[in-house]
DNA sequence: TTGCTCCTCACGTCACGTGAGGTGGC
DNA sequence: TTGCTCCTCACGTCACGTGAGGTGGC
């Protein structure tokens, strides 16, 4: 008598499968059956399913609900914990929305962290530059990142860097030495204009050495031998003025 | 050369298992391997994992990310859709929090819908009464529910109803008739004081007939034959004044 | 016989988590 | 030999969704 599975599901505002699932996990006792094997639910079952539905809608897990039924006292602690979790989730989602807002307003790329993305909003960068920026964002500390972003804000790829990026792998020594010599002053200017670049990796989370090694590996990975040779020449030129 | 699985995972701020999962679903190409079978990731892989991490943190699913990589144009539509979904989620969670707030402030039970829970906040009810209220909340429409809640607000279980709830299953005819006769005027008063009770199920979502049948079944379920006999006597008494 | 409702397996979903069992270089 | 890191299965998580295949009464 009374109700079939579909009927309590509809009455409780849930699905047939959910009701069966509550049987499976032991949250809802199985009712008696009709001669043909059909389940027959009563008011007590409906009350339980409605309760489960209410609590899952609030955000409780089935095992929490199960524990609360067992405890059988007013679940104040659980309610407060859930409320705090919801507050945290809401805050996180609001931060995400704020970020989505900037992305949509500024048309910033989706693959860089917010600050850096904003700093590079109206800067054209090569693939290589973008890749190395990503690596930087992963090894720098907050202060280093800010200094780096500040530098990027006024950065415009010089034609010499374009030359460097497009350097043929078989470029002869003269070409490489010449390019190195023309790059050195640019780098000097960059450091002069942005003193923050000096101690860039001072607050790197993994340590300055780790940051340095990581960026070094990245640089080796994205450049071919001729380009690496130019970089070595630059290093030598900067050491012996 | 360059990085092991653990190393890109750490650099990207994710887990080794996540990186492997991205291989499994085809979001991340497998890198070359060292002689011993160890994977060797490069900058391109790191950039990709960081991008995936950013997008999943924003709330995109892996298949959405996959589709966005294929499309390769600025995913404005997707960003807007996600933003709208987040706005909706936030609103829902805020409603839930508001409800949790009332529950915590008023100490209302967690198994009744908000309005009704408030209406019955300082009313002592028997198990049977509570069960039938739950059933009512599932069959009434919004207007019916409001009228019902309004009635409950001033409801105090009369001693005759307590008698009815505690009626022994083998109560003799005289007892049952006497109880029925004493209950009739109470019910009349209830309807007189709350005219809204008249068309209670007029806006029931499943139809008035369905609501009536459902509540009828519920009443049959929670009472024993002696009690049902009293209810029949009441019905007869009310029809022939 | 056809439709409709109910039933019980049992695999699928999503983004990984978590061992189990084995290998390679110090 | 012991520790550490890496590897590949492969099952587990959570709350159900979704068929597959079969039954019972009109």
């Amino acid at each position: 008598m009374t109700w079939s599975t579909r009927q309590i599901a509809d009455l409780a505002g849930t699905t047939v499968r959910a009701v069966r699932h509550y049987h499976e996990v032991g949250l809802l006792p199985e009712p008696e059956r009709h001669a043909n094997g059909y389940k027959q639910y009563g008011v007590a079952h409906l009350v339980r399913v409605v309760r489960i539905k209410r609590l899952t809608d609030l955000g409780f897990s089935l095992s929490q609900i199960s524990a609360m039924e067992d405890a059988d006292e007013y679940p104040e602690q659980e309610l407060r914990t859930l409320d705090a979790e919801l507050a945290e989730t809401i805050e996180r989602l609001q931060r995400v929305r704020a970020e989505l807002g900037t992305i949509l307003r500024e048309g910033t790329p989706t693959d860089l962290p917010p600050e850096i993305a904003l700093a590079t909003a109206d800067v054209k960068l090569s693939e290589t530059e973008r890749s190395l920026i990503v690596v930087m964002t992963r090894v720098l500390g907050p202060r280093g990142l800010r200094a780096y972003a500040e530098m990027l804000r006024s950065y415009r790829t010089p034609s010499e860097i374009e030359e460097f990026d497009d350097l043929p792998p078989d470029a002869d020594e003269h070409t490489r030495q010449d390019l190195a010599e023309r790059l050195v002053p640019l780098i000097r200017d960059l450091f002069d204009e942005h003193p923050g670049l000096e101690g860039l990796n001072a607050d790197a989370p993994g340590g300055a050495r780790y940051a340095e090694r990581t960026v070094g590996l990245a640089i080796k990975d994205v450049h071919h031998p001729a380009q690496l040779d130019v970089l070595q020449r630059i290093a030598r030129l900067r050491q012996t003025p």
Side-chain angles (χ1 to χ4, degrees), chain A:
Chain A
M1 20 130 87
T2 322
W3 301 303
S4 73
T5 308
R6 165 141 305 282
Q7 285 171 328
I8 35 153
D10 286 349
L11 276 171
T14 184
T15 70
V16 167
R17 186 60 179 97
V19 172
R20 295 198 177 122
H21 184 63
Y22 303 149
H23 290 321
E24 287 169 24
V25 298
L27 252 185
L28 183 69
E30 286 215 10
E32 293 183 2
R33 285 160 190 265
H34 206 238
N36 58 10
Y38 287 19
K39 299 201 191 73
Q40 307 176 80
Y41 296 90
V43 169
H45 296 97
L46 176 59
V47 167
R48 242 183 130 119
V49 176
V50 167
R51 179 183 162 80
I52 295 171
K53 177 69 161 57
R54 283 261 307 146
L55 293 173
T56 56
D57 283 351
L58 287 177
F60 287 107
S61 71
L62 296 187
S63 61
Q64 284 178 309
I65 295 172
S66 182
M68 283 161 56
E69 311 258 80
D70 292 349
D72 196 47
E73 58 184 35
Y74 195 68
E76 177 162 354
Q77 188 52 55
E78 287 82 349
L79 289 166
R80 291 199 189 284
T81 304
L82 176 61
D83 189 54
E85 285 168 7
L86 290 181
E88 220 184 289
T89 303
I90 289 173
E91 274 179 46
R92 186 174 55 79
L93 296 184
Q94 278 167 343
R95 282 196 301 271
V96 169
R97 278 201 74 197
E99 214 177 303
L100 282 177
T102 4
I103 292 177
L104 279 165
R105 269 198 312 282
E106 311 284 340
T108 51
T110 51
D111 47 2
L112 295 179
E115 321 178 317
I116 296 283
L118 261 179
T120 64
D122 31 40
V123 184
K124 277 187 235 80
L125 296 167
S126 69
E127 263 307 292
T128 306
E129 284 171 328
R130 304 185 64 82
S131 294
L132 289 179
I133 289 173
V134 169
V135 176
M136 293 300 281
T137 64
R138 304 312 306 175
V139 294
L140 292 185
R143 284 210 311 278
L145 253 185
R146 268 197 297 278
Y148 190 59
E150 189 256 324
M151 182 273 280
L152 284 176
R153 215 175 292 273
S154 62
Y155 180 81
R156 297 296 176 277
T157 312
S159 63
E160 287 84 355
I161 292 285
E162 282 178 18
E163 258 182 78
F164 176 78
D165 278 345
D166 298 340
L167 189 74
D170 58 352
D172 61 26
E173 196 184 324
H174 175 258
T175 309
R176 301 188 309 227
Q177 179 65 21
D178 176 61
L179 183 54
E181 284 171 7
R182 284 182 294 131
L183 276 164
V184 165
L186 289 177
I187 294 170
R188 247 168 220 154
D189 288 356
L190 209 63
F191 274 83
D192 288 350
E193 282 169 37
H194 304 279
L197 289 185
E198 212 51 64
L200 246 205
N201 53 21
D203 70 332
R209 292 276 302 155
Y210 169 71
E212 209 172 311
R213 272 203 311 271
T214 303
V215 176
L217 286 171
I219 287 176
K220 265 187 207 153
D221 186 46
V222 297
H223 295 120
H224 56 64
Q227 289 171 320
L228 294 175
D229 176 59
V230 172
L231 292 178
Q232 281 207 345
R233 285 169 195 268
I234 291 173
R236 277 199 297 271
L237 286 166
R238 294 189 70 208
Q239 270 178 356
T240 61

